[in-house]
Amino acid sequence: MTRTANSAYHARYSQTAHSTPHLTLYFLQASRSIRVAWLLELLELPYQLESSPRVSNKAPAAFKEASGSRLGKFPVLRDAQPNSEDVVLFESGAIVESLCDRFDLAGDLIPRAEEGKTYLRGRVLTFVHAAEGMIMLHALAILYFRWNVPQAFRESSEGIEMMRETERNMSVNVRNDFDWLEQELSASTGLYLVGNSVTAADVMMGFSVEFVIARQLGITREEFEGGNDVHEKEEKTEGKKGETTGRGKWPRLKEWLERCHGTESWKRAVRRTGYTLDT
């Protein structure tokens, strides 16, 4: 949201019967929580941060209890309501849509369902839901497979080869997902997934792409970032507007992710939360 639109929101919101929202973000490191922190910074909303590192790659039990979420997953957003019970939201996609419905009055992040904006709204929501329903679904299947392979398979040459073959087969969906995103960005005339400014599509999809690369789930860092990898021939294809690319198999997707991470709102979110996937 632009500062002008956001200022208009504050002026309008202060005239209602509600006070400034009292939002608390329960932020687990190396998780989808960064999506909500980034969105809150985009909306320039004040919020209290409760953060926790992972312990043995899990959320501490005390942090789960403090969040108020019965599921015990993160992010969790608590919205303190005057004279009534607090509203506790979880599932990053639900939080993103809820915050945009309530505070994105100009429809910058998710266009409103108005005449002339239906197409753009549909585009944004496609990426919002594909971030979990497609990218993360396919990527987490590989991660869960790695976590649950019996130890006996890890100790035999036959088992190791079986694991490699299984991952190769499972990686097809992830690679198709990245191909789709690359095609969408190649066809776009804007800098981001939908247009020339960040939308909820980028907020949701950014973590999914970063997570796949950080955990190398069907795609290696070398393939994505470029350099001396097995896809050298594929990298030397003609790029957009006649440019020659040598920056990895999905150069426009890489440029888009870097562009997202270069925004001031993203940088503020990272500084405040200490976000990292290196755990």
Side-chain angles (χ1 to χ4, degrees), residues 224-243:
F224 189 73
E225 295 173 359
N228 298 322
D229 63 25
V230 295
H231 294 277
E232 182 179 357
K233 291 183 180 180
E234 291 178 286
E235 292 167 12
K236 293 180 179 178
T237 58
E238 285 300 305
K240 193 174 184 180
K241 297 180 181 178
E243 296 176 356

Side-chain angles (χ1 to χ4, degrees), residues 132-196:
E132 283 295 320
M134 195 168 74
I135 310 288
M136 292 298 285
L137 175 68
H138 296 152
L140 286 173
I142 298 174
L143 187 62
Y144 294 156
F145 169 73
R146 290 178 186 173
W147 286 352
N148 291 284
V149 171
Q151 187 61 33
F153 281 88
R154 303 176 188 273
E155 296 174 348
S156 69
S157 57
E158 294 84 358
I160 292 171
E161 181 54 36
M162 182 278 293
M163 291 169 57
R164 289 174 178 167
E165 180 64 21
T166 300
E167 282 209 22
R168 280 194 293 269
N169 293 335
M170 296 176 76
S171 73
V172 171
N173 281 330
V174 179
R175 301 176 76 85
N176 286 341
D177 295 342
F178 271 46
D179 287 345
W180 167 64
L181 289 172
E182 181 74 10
Q183 291 164 8
E184 291 290 338
L185 288 164
S186 297
S188 173
T189 58
L191 296 173
Y192 296 92
L193 286 172
V194 183
N196 278 315

Side-chain angles (χ1 to χ4, degrees), residues 23-236:
L23 303 173
T24 301
L25 172 60
Y26 291 85
F27 186 101
L28 179 68
Q29 281 299 341
S31 80
R32 298 166 174 85
S33 300
I34 190 60
R35 288 171 171 161
V36 180
W38 188 13
L39 181 64
L40 289 168
E41 295 295 340
L42 278 165
L43 290 168
E44 298 180 0
L45 288 172
Y47 64 99
Q48 179 179 341
L49 179 68
E50 298 291 339
S51 181
S52 174
R54 291 175 178 266
V55 177
S56 299
N57 203 33
K58 297 179 180 179
F63 191 58
K64 291 182 180 181
E65 183 176 358
S67 75
S69 167
R70 294 185 180 90
L71 185 61
K73 299 294 185 180
F74 295 89
V76 174
L77 188 71
R78 180 185 296 273
D79 186 354
Q81 301 289 309
N83 305 318
S84 65
E85 186 176 353
D86 292 356
V87 174
V88 178
L89 299 173
F90 56 95
E91 283 296 317
S92 59
I95 296 173
V96 165
E97 289 197 55
S98 177
L99 287 174
C100 288
D101 285 347
R102 187 175 172 190
F103 302 118
D104 179 26
L105 300 185
D108 294 324
L109 301 174
I110 298 181
R112 297 291 178 176
E114 302 170 355
E115 185 177 354
K117 295 186 177 181
T118 304
Y119 173 74
L120 287 177
R121 178 179 175 84
R123 289 276 296 162
V124 170
L125 291 177
T126 293
F127 291 113
V128 165
H129 290 279
E132 283 295 320
M134 195 168 74
I135 310 288
M136 292 298 285
L137 175 68
H138 296 152
L140 286 173
I142 298 174
L143 187 62
Y144 294 156
F145 169 73
R146 290 178 186 173
W147 286 352
N148 291 284
V149 171
Q151 187 61 33
F153 281 88
R154 303 176 188 273
E155 296 174 348
S156 69
S157 57
E158 294 84 358
I160 292 171
E161 181 54 36
M162 182 278 293
M163 291 169 57
R164 289 174 178 167
E165 180 64 21
T166 300
E167 282 209 22
R168 280 194 293 269
N169 293 335
M170 296 176 76
S171 73
V172 171
N173 281 330
V174 179
R175 301 176 76 85
N176 286 341
D177 295 342
F178 271 46
D179 287 345
W180 167 64
L181 289 172
E182 181 74 10
Q183 291 164 8
E184 291 290 338
L185 288 164
S186 297
S188 173
T189 58
L191 296 173
Y192 296 92
L193 286 172
V194 183
N196 278 315
S197 60
V198 171
T199 67
D202 307 291
V203 171
M204 286 294 294
M205 194 63 77
F207 174 80
S208 298
V209 172
E210 184 185 13
F211 184 81
V212 167
I213 301 308
R215 300 292 183 262
Q216 301 195 83
L217 301 172
I219 294 170
T220 66
R221 287 193 183 94
E222 289 74 17
E223 285 181 283
F224 189 73
E225 295 173 359
N228 298 322
D229 63 25
V230 295
H231 294 277
E232 182 179 357
K233 291 183 180 180
E234 291 178 286
E235 292 167 12
K236 293 180 179 178

